Amino acid sequence: MTYDAFNRFCGALPATTYVVQWRGSHVWKVGGKVFAIGGRVDRSPAFTFKTSDLSYRILIEQPGVRPAPYLASRGMKWIQNFSEPGAEPGLSDADLKDYLRRSHEIVAAGLTKKARRELGLD
């Protein structure tokens, strides 16, 4: 997936905001909370997202997918999809979109009822 495709997809999800931070990372939020990050691994795009406990345990076993640096080391269930030099990324674009959508849902569900209502997420 390209950054353009990543940004178009995340921008089409409900009530999202976009900011470039952390040395040029493409950061997507819902209700002020991060749900997706587009960064780089060895000059290749890498996409980070929040997962359920079960998805986390399944995904960390796949090539091209790993616990997200920094976030996972603090006990959070975040995954990074990346391309190793000369290899395809761990997830297809379709699967990555499904996980990004689910990450958005997980983060939105953690917002207060009032915030969800104000954002039109209820």
Side-chain angles (χ1 to χ4, degrees):
M1 178 178 284
T2 65
Y3 285 127
D4 287 341
F6 170 76
N7 288 331
R8 274 192 310 275
F9 181 78
C10 291
L13 295 171
T16 60
T17 56
Y18 169 77
V19 64
V20 176
Q21 62 188 76
W22 305 318
R23 298 185 200 163
S25 294
H26 300 247
V27 180
W28 284 92
K29 301 178 182 185
V30 59
K33 305 291 183 182
V34 176
F35 74 90
I37 304 166
R40 292 202 177 278
V41 172
D42 296 328
R43 293 183 283 189
S44 295
F47 303 104
T48 301
F49 51 90
K50 189 170 188 166
T51 67
S52 67
D53 290 344
L54 179 59
S55 291
Y56 182 84
R57 289 193 304 269
I58 292 168
L59 288 170
I60 61 173
E61 301 298 324
Q62 295 186 25
V65 180
R66 66 182 176 189
Y70 182 77
L71 296 167
S73 68
R74 283 152 177 71
M76 295 181 251
K77 302 299 186 227
W78 284 75
I79 289 291
Q80 185 176 70
N81 184 65
F82 64 99
S83 294
E84 294 184 24
E88 292 295 316
L91 298 172
S92 69
D93 286 0
D95 287 343
L96 179 57
K97 286 178 181 179
D98 287 342
Y99 281 109
L100 291 169
R101 185 178 298 108
R102 183 65 184 131
S103 179
H104 177 273
E105 292 169 356
I106 291 168
V107 173
L111 299 173
T112 65
K113 288 182 182 181
K114 180 181 177 188
R116 287 194 309 271
R117 190 172 46 255
E118 288 172 353
L119 293 169
L121 297 171
D122 275 347

